[in-house]
Amino acid sequence: DVQLVESGGGSVQAGGSLSLSCAAPSGFRPDCMGWFRQALRKEREKVAVVCGIGGTTYYADSVKGRFTISQDNAKNTLYLQMNSLKPEDTAMYYCAEKIGRCFCPLCSDEYNYWGQGTQVTVS
């Protein structure tokens, strides 16, 4: 089974920054990897995704210009740099991986594997 391990969450004041990491096992070549989040009493929503060998990125409108997704293939690690954080960014952030062709990168239902999540709180 694929295990994804997130780290880097925490508490920060509005306007601050946080960086999340997601370690994936070696030997898997997902079509897409991404970050999704779920706030209390809300549905899970897309944040950012990176797909393919070329590393095409997709972002939710709410985070464009503030968040940056990146990956280090040598380390099998996915990152999310979050700047200019807002209270509405408060949520549990999940790393997800799609093994096999991904037809809808920002659709959470596409993803096969999920991490346990890391909490981000912005006050």
Side-chain angles (χ1 to χ4, degrees), residues 55-115:
T56 302
T57 56
Y58 305 85
Y59 293 93
D61 288 343
S62 59
V63 306
K64 281 180 182 176
R66 301 188 298 121
F67 290 12
T68 302
I69 190 170
S70 61
Q71 58 185 357
D72 185 331
N73 291 327
K75 296 181 179 179
N76 299 301
T77 302
L78 182 72
Y79 303 98
L80 184 69
Q81 178 64 40
M82 304 184 293
N83 298 327
S84 302
L85 282 160
K86 304 175 181 180
E88 50 264 44
D89 294 318
T90 295
M92 186 72 79
Y93 282 69
Y94 297 92
C95 173
E97 188 172 272
K98 166 67 177 181
I99 306 296
R101 187 173 177 182
C102 186
F103 293 94
C104 182
L106 288 173
C107 300
S108 60
D109 290 349
E110 280 269 0
Y111 290 78
N112 313 96
Y113 300 102
W114 293 82

